[in-house]
Amino acid sequence: MPIFLDRHNLRGLTAADIAEAHRKDLEVQERYGVRFLTYWFDEARGTGFCLIDAPDIQAAMRVHDEAHGDLAKDVIEVDLSAVEAFLGRVSDPAPKGDSPHAMFDPALRAIMFTDIVDSTGMTARLGDLRAVEMTRAHDSLVRRSLNDKGGREVKHTGDGIMASFDDVVAAVDCARSIQQAFDAFNLASKEKLRVRIGLDAGEPVADSNDLFGATVQTAARLCQAAEPDTIVVSGAVSALVLNRFPLVSLGHKALKGFVHPVAAFEVNWH
């Protein structure tokens, strides 16, 4: 059956309220051939997300309607492997402590792109074999930092990596670690590897029919707009890491595919 991710506006409710609504969904789901896999709840923003295995959207919404009456505002069809890569899980986590039903995962994620500067020129200059070796060096350095900082690789882009983080501060810290790793690599290597990095933060269902669609697009475009050896983050990331890292405003950048210029900030990694 298809897998759906829905979005609810839940302002004013608590984690306990949402856990109870999830329990009611589980009681009703079998009547409609639906299976609620898990949920996420952001109390601060008043948003919630349900991951649902259902024959169609209508069946999933009938469960919500009968169980508690809180229908989703937006629903998209998703791939389970993509959900796990972005959000880190596709089932309820094991209960912890004295609050077996309370889950505080808000589904807000930071998305990071790395990009090897002038990868086409590198291939022309070094040849295919050596260029592949340099790309593997990039991958190794990035993956080491992801592992150290709690990031998840979503996919390899050919000349870079897209990654997801549960924590925005950790994402920026990882980006700084990556640039520092390449700086050390270049000191010891005759052939230099230069990368640019872009980050944005957002929710899984927002203004798009794609999982993290707007956030992914913004992070990718900020990466493309970044100068070599720099980290550029969005206004959303800047607001979430305020005073944690040295940031320099780059003003508003006109990015391909965006109607309005986007606020951008450079992160000092030295």
Side-chain angles (χ1 to χ4, degrees):
M1 289 195 297
I3 305 296
F4 300 99
L5 188 69
D6 68 15
R7 180 183 191 277
H8 299 259
N9 293 332
L10 303 170
R11 192 161 298 281
L13 299 181
T14 67
D17 295 330
I18 307 311
E20 176 62 14
H22 181 58
R23 186 191 64 77
K24 291 178 178 178
D25 285 328
L26 298 181
E27 287 183 346
V28 174
Q29 63 183 3
E30 290 186 9
R31 299 175 198 170
Y32 298 95
V34 171
R35 186 163 60 105
F36 278 71
L37 303 175
T38 190
Y39 72 96
W40 294 263
F41 175 56
D42 189 334
E43 189 168 1
R45 292 173 177 79
T47 54
F49 306 88
C50 299
L51 187 64
I52 314 163
D53 185 357
D56 51 49
I57 292 173
Q58 291 71 29
M61 293 306 101
R62 282 195 290 271
V63 173
H64 276 327
D65 192 25
E66 182 174 330
H68 46 70
D70 187 3
L71 297 183
K73 304 304 178 187
D74 301 284
V75 188
I76 61 172
E77 187 171 345
V78 295
D79 179 84
L80 270 183
S81 60
V83 172
E84 188 162 30
F86 278 111
L87 288 165
R89 61 182 175 86
V90 293
S91 60
D92 288 344
K96 293 182 179 180
D98 298 326
S99 301
H101 300 299
M103 295 162 51
F104 294 96
D105 183 351
L108 183 79
R109 297 294 186 262
I111 306 300
M112 179 180 76
F113 279 84
T114 70
D115 176 64
I116 299 173
V117 175
D118 192 25
S119 59
T120 302
M122 182 178 70
T123 301
R125 186 174 65 255
L126 301 178
D128 290 342
L129 184 60
R130 180 62 176 144
V132 168
E133 291 176 354
M134 295 297 284
T135 300
R136 286 175 178 166
H138 159 276
D139 298 347
S140 178
L141 291 173
V142 171
R143 286 167 179 158
R144 187 178 306 162
S145 291
L146 290 177
N147 184 63
D148 290 344
K149 305 297 182 181
R152 289 181 298 276
E153 181 175 341
V154 176
K155 70 174 182 178
H156 196 281
T157 63
D159 52 9
I161 284 175
M162 176 170 65
S164 173
F165 296 81
D166 297 351
D167 182 81
V168 180
V169 171
V172 176
D173 194 27
C174 182
R176 297 177 79 244
S177 174
I178 290 169
Q179 290 292 14
Q180 290 162 3
F182 279 105
D183 189 46
F185 174 89
N186 289 334
L187 288 174
S189 174
K190 181 179 178 181
E191 185 63 37
K192 310 304 179 187
L193 260 178
R194 306 180 71 191
V195 299
R196 51 172 67 91
I197 301 176
L199 294 102
D200 188 26
E203 296 179 332
V205 183
D207 305 322
S208 173
N209 287 324
D210 297 322
L211 189 65
F212 286 99
T215 305
V216 167
Q217 186 180 18
T218 302
R221 296 305 187 197
L222 287 173
C223 182
Q224 291 173 355
E227 294 295 323
D229 311 317
T230 67
I231 303 164
V232 176
V233 304
S234 66
V237 171
S238 172
L240 291 166
V241 302
L242 197 61
N243 301 324
R244 298 293 296 269
F245 302 100
L247 301 175
V248 177
S249 174
L250 300 176
H252 285 70
K253 287 186 171 289
L255 303 179
K256 183 178 178 181
F258 288 79
V259 175
H260 304 292
V262 174
F265 299 80
E266 183 175 335
V267 180
N268 186 338
W269 55 268
H270 295 282

